[in-house]
Amino acid sequence: AGWLCCWLGSVSRLAAAQQVGRMAMLALVYGSAHLWLETVPIYMLLAQCVLGFMAPDFCWPSTDTKRARTLSTDGTNVRCRHAVLLQLLGRWRMQERHNMDEFLEGLGFNGIVRALLSKAGQEQVISYSEEGDKMRVITSDLRGTSELELPLSGKVVLAHDGDGGADVCRSATIDKATKALVITEQAPGDKQPNSICRRTLQPDGRMCIDIHKRAPSGRIFQMKAIFVRDIGV
């Protein structure tokens, strides 16, 4: 009887050991599979990064090479026959403001809005299109993003996005005497412009935007903003 009990105990321990072994093997297999599922995406991501550095044009080809040239930050890859505009092409970031608070106050903005606008940053992207001989300015600030496209022939373009949603006539020309890109705005039927915006390149390489705007009272208010070329893009 004693022998039988010992034999049964040994069999039970062996069966238990086998069961533990099977459970350990399953855990190992499951753990390895789980680890594999977690690490494979990381290795794939690393592989994509390596391929991106080795052949970025192959992995992520440009779908609009013409627009990529247009948004050149120095204008060297853009075919533009306007020397004044050519030196203004690219991405710009506002660096300085001059007389902005008085300008906004004269146009009827309250103190809170003036404080926000006076501290807010702004970016502009100036580009050129050979088709139609047009210039484009994309402006981004706390109000959102707006786009202005005008022919450089001086042809008047009617829009419906003036102050308060009013109709406004805009035109763009190149002033060769002062080397300025000039954009004017006026209400339909008016003989005098409501706004004149002049963009010039300063000797230090920064862009100056000089704005003259006529208030409803008829008084002209002026402000100036200085932009630095954003070479980080």
Side-chain angles (χ1 to χ4, degrees):
W3 173 83
L4 180 60
C5 290
C6 291
W7 181 81
L8 290 175
S10 299
V11 171
S12 299
R13 287 193 295 272
L14 179 61
Q18 291 177 345
Q19 182 67 22
V20 171
R22 285 195 295 269
M23 292 178 64
M25 182 62 68
L26 289 175
L28 179 61
V29 172
Y30 174 79
S32 299
H34 186 69
L35 180 62
W36 183 82
L37 290 175
E38 287 186 343
T39 56
V40 163
I42 298 176
Y43 289 129
M44 292 179 66
L45 180 60
L46 290 174
Q48 289 179 353
C49 293
V50 172
L51 288 175
F53 283 112
M54 295 175 61
D57 293 334
F58 175 77
C59 298
W60 294 279
S62 174
T63 57
D64 193 346
T65 55
K66 182 178 180 180
R67 183 171 180 82
R69 289 196 304 269
T70 301
L71 298 182
S72 170
T73 55
D74 57 8
T76 55
N77 296 324
V78 182
R79 291 180 293 182
C80 178
R81 60 187 179 89
H82 305 281
V84 173
L85 177 61
L86 184 62
Q87 61 188 2
L88 297 176
L89 298 180
R91 187 181 298 271
W92 300 86
R93 174 172 43 85
M94 184 185 290
Q95 188 179 57
E96 299 177 10
R97 309 164 183 80
H98 301 277
N99 203 44
M100 188 173 187
D101 188 72
E102 181 180 347
F103 176 83
L104 295 174
E105 183 179 12
L107 297 179
F109 290 89
N110 62 47
I112 297 178
V113 175
R114 296 202 310 273
L116 290 174
L117 294 177
S118 296
K119 299 297 183 181
Q122 186 180 95
E123 288 188 354
Q124 294 190 3
V125 177
I126 303 176
S127 57
Y128 172 74
S129 174
E130 289 183 278
E131 184 177 356
D133 191 30
K134 297 179 180 180
M135 54 76 60
R136 182 189 298 111
V137 179
I138 300 177
T139 303
S140 302
D141 54 26
L142 58 80
R143 297 168 296 179
T145 301
S146 61
E147 181 173 335
L148 175 64
E149 185 176 81
L150 294 170
L152 291 165
S153 61
K155 180 182 177 180
V156 174
V157 177
L158 177 64
H160 310 285
D161 55 359
D163 295 339
D167 291 346
V168 59
C169 297
R170 296 189 179 97
S171 63
T173 56
I174 299 292
D175 187 345
K176 295 182 180 179
T178 60
K179 298 181 179 180
L181 169 63
V182 184
I183 299 176
T184 61
E185 294 184 2
Q186 65 186 67
D190 284 1
K191 296 182 179 180
Q192 297 294 328
N194 296 330
S195 173
I196 301 177
C197 176
R198 303 176 64 88
R199 287 176 171 84
T200 57
L201 188 69
Q202 298 186 144
D204 61 3
R206 297 186 299 172
M207 178 175 66
C208 175
I209 302 181
D210 188 75
I211 304 174
H212 290 73
K213 191 172 181 67
R214 179 159 50 92
S217 62
R219 183 180 174 184
I220 303 295
F221 292 91
Q222 182 266 344
M223 70 157 287
K224 183 182 297 183
I226 305 298
F227 284 70
V228 63
R229 193 181 293 277
D230 193 342
I231 61 176
V233 295

